[in-house]
Amino acid sequence: MKTSYFAIAIALAGTATPVLAEEALAGASVEASDAPNEIIVTGEKISRSLQDTPTSVQVITSGDIQKQNLVDVYDAIDQTANVTSTFAKSGFTIRGIANTNVTGVGTGDLATVYLDGSPLPRTALSGPLDLWDVSQVEILRGPQSTLQGRNALAGAIIIKTADPTFEWSGKARVMLTDKDDERRFAAAIGGPIVEDQIAFRVAAEHSRADGFITNVTTDDEKAGFREGDMIRGKVLVTPGALPDLRIVASWLHDRHSSGVTYSLGLPGTGWDDRQTAGNRPTIDKTKSDIGTLDASYDLGGGFSLSSVTTWARIRTSNVYDGDNTAADDAYGDLSQDQRTLTEELRLDLDMGPVTGVFGGYYSRLNNMHDRSHSVFSLSPIDDLGLPDSIAPFYPARLHINTSQFYPQTVENLALFGDASWEVAPRLTLRGGFRYDSERQVRANSNAVTLITELPDPADFGPYAATITYVNGLILDQVAAANASSPAVKTKFEAFLPKFGATYEFSDDASLSATVQRGYRSGGSGVNPGRGALYTYDPEYTWNYELALRTQWLDRKLTLNANAFYIDWKQQQVNVQLSGNIYDYQTINAGSSRVYGFEVESRFQPSRGLSLYGSVGYTNTRFTDFTTTIGEVDDLTGNEFANAPHLTLAAGGTWESDAGWFVNLNANYRSAAYQEVLDQSTRQLKAHTVVNAKIGWKNEHFGAYLTATNIFDKKYFDYSYTNGAYQQYLWAEPRMLGLTLEAGF
């Protein structure tokens, strides 16, 4: 099968019809600039050049996406200093801080992905994140709480798709890879509907990969499959009757699904022979529908009004074999249906020395379908905390049946502002604020039954009283997990200030200092072991940052750096309350500090050669963290999980006048702990991944050979013990591919 796809592709390469220039193949840029190589940052609501932005931000342009063969946002993440993908491309960390949580659960996230202004819930992070027809990705490191709100304590990722234009353009791409037999087919087309007034753009992509995992129980060679379908339409309106009005409306429909991700550590298996043995299917499905209406109107006199309205419905479903073996020890299903409405109204001002943005924000998240059903087994001794002496009298595993329903709504209302004032030549003061108010409503219904039949005390003679007592302990724990609670209402308010200053040493060098407060709201959760709702308070950070921006050699070389220190208080952490492994919940019990730096550079020594490089260093530590897991454990001094100290990235692209093209890039991640509790060794090993893209292009057509993980570096993203075996989230092996691109 794999050979036949490559044969077809090579034949197509020989007969392809030329159609457009590299700009059409890569996609339109986000915003025009007077300087041809100037990068514009838009994620902070005000469009500024990268050199005028003190925030630590990595900007990946449409050209970068095309040259470096970046397929999804996780490829961009792994090329960014102090940012790493986690759990087989289902999450990420920024400066060592996970996007969802550090050790707790949390109603909100610590970092959010925004797609054309719409915040994506964590359940969508395996969904609409492919980079086809994307014009720019901005990865903002450090708190964005002032401008983005509740879910941006660690940072934010801003994805901007290509807008329509009044010039006809189109492009198409075919991508094939060998080991996972991936096939991607994508196209985009756009142009005017009414000259200079209405334009459209439509983009679509279909992908399918067989994956690397074989199920030895069901004889399924495609158990680790991945597939996706995306279609996006956008309309641009600039009416002649109102020449200062600009409206962009978009709609996205996206489906992604995938199979098994964990490999079972069976004897003789590993990196090159990935196997699972589940007797039940494991399939994750995400269906996303996202609409955005972005309107702006120039009021004149340096003022403009902007409105961004988004509506999203994200539906996820998952069936799984929890033990990944032929036994029926654990299996289940879960589903969510989240609907999010947001409205942001902004007044932008540009009055020479004073620029800024002021606005209001409203969002409502409605998750009224949060259901799960599972059957799993527990050890009476290890999982329920009962004494070793009962082992001869009880089964090694007790099977439990659970059904859970956790509906939730979250309403958020905020006022915000961010401004800069050039108080003297080369000296600019910066300030901002956000007043954030949030209301949450959460209910709980948890039904738990014991499937395994307990021993009959009458069969144990003199031990009957003991068996009766132990049976009672087990049944009490099962009964405690059964609960149906009325809705719990919580409300949180926060004021988040920001202060800063920038001094320009010259037109090409500046130093900025910023102090700002970060925030994640409190919330409520459900203790699975007790079936009870609980609440917890907000957590806060104070963030201190220095930013150096420089350009050299007639602005051919850009060298930027940020240094930061984060003081984190009232941290939401997960704690175990008893020997029952399901008796856990989130409380405000921690504090920590994080410090480090990022240095990033771009260099274009000649017209055909461009280079980039970066280094990131992060040091995370809990300064106060005591938890109870059977006994009191003081975890003070432990590091965050998935928080490597060092990340490095470098790459370059060479393009000849004859059309030959070579890109080589590499990224390095130092070793890290995979959890907070066990830090006896750094389970996640250091690794370097090298990729390449080599080919030829002309004004209308491109054909390339690609290689990812060229040296077949072997590493995993997570591993845990499953009975007698280990489960592994292995990284992707070396893969070779062919890419064909064309446009008009």
Side-chain angles (χ1 to χ4, degrees):
M1 178 65 72
K2 298 177 177 64
T3 303
S4 64
Y5 273 114
F6 270 82
I8 293 170
I10 291 171
L12 288 172
T15 60
T17 303
V19 263
L20 187 72
E22 179 184 354
E23 288 78 8
L25 298 177
S29 61
V30 169
E31 189 165 318
S33 171
D34 294 335
N37 296 320
E38 188 174 46
I39 295 174
I40 302 299
V41 179
T42 63
E44 292 190 304
K45 315 295 184 185
I46 304 173
S47 296
R48 299 189 184 101
S49 73
L50 178 63
Q51 297 309 104
D52 291 332
T53 303
T55 297
S56 181
V57 55
Q58 166 76 310
V59 179
I60 299 97
T61 67
S62 59
D64 297 329
I65 292 170
Q66 195 269 344
K67 291 176 182 178
Q68 297 181 46
N69 196 40
L70 305 180
V71 176
D72 59 39
V73 74
Y74 293 104
D75 293 334
I77 283 171
D78 286 333
Q79 300 283 357
T80 302
N82 276 341
V83 185
T84 59
S85 63
T86 58
F87 299 107
K89 294 187 173 183
S90 62
F92 57 92
T93 66
I94 297 179
R95 292 177 170 176
I97 303 170
N99 65 295
T100 55
N101 60 77
V102 175
T103 68
V105 179
T107 301
D109 290 339
L110 293 171
T112 299
V113 178
Y114 294 85
L115 178 61
D116 283 337
S118 178
L120 300 181
R122 66 183 68 172
T123 54
L125 295 190
S126 58
L129 298 180
D130 293 335
L131 297 182
W132 172 247
D133 208 38
V134 165
S135 60
Q136 189 156 293
V137 178
E138 300 174 19
I139 302 178
L140 300 157
R141 291 162 296 214
Q144 303 301 308
S145 299
T146 301
L147 288 171
Q148 305 292 356
R150 66 191 292 265
N151 295 334
L153 182 148
I157 298 178
I158 313 296
I159 303 174
K160 180 71 171 65
T161 63
D163 281 342
T165 68
F166 293 108
E167 299 292 332
W168 280 102
S169 65
K171 59 180 182 177
R173 182 185 70 185
V174 176
M175 300 180 71
L176 309 172
T177 56
D178 60 347
K179 286 188 178 179
D180 64 347
D181 200 17
E182 183 176 42
R183 295 88 73 192
R184 285 181 175 268
F185 306 95
I189 189 170
I193 299 174
V194 177
E195 186 175 358
D196 296 329
Q197 295 193 69
I198 304 176
F200 80 99
R201 188 172 188 86
V202 176
E205 182 176 36
H206 167 76
S207 64
R208 171 79 194 200
D210 294 342
F212 314 100
I213 300 175
T214 298
N215 189 313
V216 295
T217 298
T218 62
D219 197 28
D220 182 4
E221 296 182 353
K222 303 176 182 180
F225 80 94
R226 307 182 308 276
E227 64 181 9
D229 290 287
M230 179 277 292
I231 184 166
R232 178 173 52 243
K234 303 185 80 171
V235 176
L236 168 66
V237 180
T238 57
L242 292 170
D244 297 319
L245 176 64
R246 184 179 191 272
I247 300 173
V248 178
S250 66
W251 184 265
L252 167 76
H253 178 73
D254 181 278
R255 292 174 181 262
H256 273 72
S257 59
S258 61
V260 179
T261 53
Y262 280 95
S263 299
L264 194 61
L266 297 168
T269 67
W271 178 264
D272 295 316
D273 186 16
R274 305 181 188 191
Q275 296 182 3
T276 187
N279 63 313
R280 293 175 178 267
T282 293
I283 301 174
D284 285 312
K285 295 182 179 180
T286 302
K287 181 179 179 181
S288 306
D289 290 288
I290 301 173
T292 302
L293 182 64
D294 188 342
S296 60
Y297 186 74
D298 188 348
L299 300 173
F303 293 91
S304 62
L305 195 63
S306 301
S307 171
V308 180
T309 307
T310 74
W311 182 89
R313 184 181 184 187
I314 312 294
R315 284 157 284 184
T316 59
S317 64
N318 167 240
V319 294
Y320 61 90
D321 187 313
D323 55 78
N324 266 5
T325 69
D328 246 2
D329 281 340
Y331 57 89
D333 60 84
L334 55 91
S335 60
Q336 288 189 340
D337 187 346
Q338 298 191 55
R339 306 183 190 200
T340 305
L341 172 69
T342 73
E343 170 60 37
E344 183 174 271
L345 185 64
R346 303 194 308 263
L347 177 66
D348 302 293
L349 60 94
D350 185 354
M351 304 180 68
V354 178
T355 60
V357 58
F358 299 90
Y361 178 81
Y362 172 81
S363 72
R364 178 181 174 86
L365 182 149
N366 189 338
N367 187 13
M368 300 307 293
H369 182 96
D370 188 346
R371 300 179 183 272
S372 66
H373 169 261
S374 60
V375 174
F376 56 92
S377 62
L378 297 173
S379 163
I381 297 170
D382 296 334
D383 299 332
L384 297 182
L386 298 180
D388 293 345
S389 58
I390 72 162
F393 309 112
Y394 284 84
R397 309 294 295 179
L398 299 176
H399 285 79
I400 309 292
N401 188 321
T402 71
S403 295
Q404 300 168 324
F405 177 45
Y406 300 147
Q408 181 185 39
T409 60
V410 180
E411 275 192 303
N412 183 258
L413 186 65
L415 298 174
F416 63 89
D418 192 272
S420 61
W421 178 24
E422 187 178 357
V423 295
R426 299 195 179 281
L427 177 62
T428 299
L429 300 182
R430 303 177 187 273
F433 74 93
R434 190 181 190 93
Y435 169 73
D436 196 274
S437 177
E438 180 171 303
R439 295 176 182 269
Q440 301 177 16
V441 181
R442 185 162 190 168
N444 163 49
S445 176
N446 196 27
V448 181
T449 57
L450 180 65
I451 300 175
T452 304
E453 185 176 349
L454 295 177
D456 185 350
D459 296 336
F460 289 87
Y463 299 103
T466 300
I467 298 300
T468 300
Y469 175 73
V470 174
N471 284 355
L473 292 178
I474 295 173
L475 293 174
D476 285 346
Q477 292 201 38
V478 171
N482 280 273
S484 181
S485 305
V488 171
K489 298 180 181 181
T490 52
K491 181 179 179 180
F492 305 97
E493 295 181 337
F495 182 74
L496 309 172
K498 174 183 175 181
F499 309 97
T502 299
Y503 183 75
E504 298 180 11
F505 299 102
S506 68
D507 291 342
D508 294 324
S510 67
L511 180 66
S512 300
T514 305
V515 179
Q516 61 180 314
R517 197 182 196 196
Y519 162 77
R520 179 166 69 158
S521 67
S524 60
V526 179
N527 182 314
R530 305 186 183 196
L533 283 164
Y534 59 86
T535 62
Y536 49 91
D537 295 327
E539 56 187 346
Y540 297 91
T541 61
W542 277 107
N543 307 265
Y544 309 90
E545 190 143 349
L546 293 174
L548 179 67
R549 300 288 180 263
T550 66
Q551 290 186 304
W552 308 80
L553 305 177
D554 197 25
R555 300 190 176 181
K556 294 179 180 179
L557 172 64
T558 297
L559 183 63
N560 295 336
N562 281 70
F564 60 90
Y565 183 91
I566 303 172
D567 184 18
W568 201 334
K569 300 296 185 185
Q570 296 178 265
Q571 198 161 2
Q572 297 167 9
V573 297
N574 212 32
V575 297
Q576 198 84 27
L577 301 181
S578 70
N580 180 344
I581 62 170
Y582 293 97
D583 186 15
Y584 60 83
Q585 63 190 55
T586 299
I587 65 174
N588 297 86
S591 61
S592 61
R593 59 102 182 108
V594 183
Y595 66 81
F597 63 83
E598 296 100 23
V599 179
E600 294 175 317
S601 67
R602 289 176 180 252
F603 182 37
Q604 188 160 1
S606 63
R607 187 169 65 90
L609 179 63
S610 59
L611 307 170
Y612 75 88
S614 68
V615 55
Y617 174 81
T618 298
N619 191 300
T620 64
R621 283 286 187 278
F622 285 101
T623 56
D624 182 14
F625 185 11
T626 302
T627 185
T628 302
I629 306 179
E631 59 184 21
V632 175
D633 283 319
D634 186 358
L635 303 181
T636 301
N638 283 17
E639 298 181 19
F640 296 175
N642 294 291
H645 285 308
L646 188 64
T647 56
L648 302 170
T653 301
W654 173 77
E655 301 172 83
S656 76
D657 292 337
W660 294 105
F661 173 98
V662 177
N663 174 268
L664 188 67
N665 62 81
N667 61 83
Y668 167 83
R669 181 192 307 183
S670 64
Y673 299 111
Q674 72 171 18
E675 58 183 78
V676 171
L677 181 62
D678 179 13
Q679 299 201 341
S680 57
T681 183
R682 296 184 185 271
Q683 300 93 339
L684 305 179
K685 303 305 181 184
H687 57 270
T688 301
V689 175
V690 181
N691 311 300
K693 182 177 181 180
I694 302 172
W696 177 85
K697 61 183 175 61
N698 63 14
E699 185 181 0
H700 308 294
F701 171 75
Y704 309 91
L705 295 175
T706 62
T708 56
N709 195 5
I710 292 175
F711 299 106
D712 205 29
K713 182 65 179 178
K714 300 175 175 61
Y715 64 97
F716 58 83
D717 283 345
Y718 190 75
S719 174
Y720 73 96
T721 302
N722 177 27
Y725 304 106
Q726 285 291 112
Q727 299 271 33
Y728 294 95
L729 273 179
W730 290 110
E732 294 181 348
R734 175 177 55 235
M735 286 192 292
L736 305 179
L738 177 68
T739 298
L740 305 175
E741 297 176 341
F744 70 88

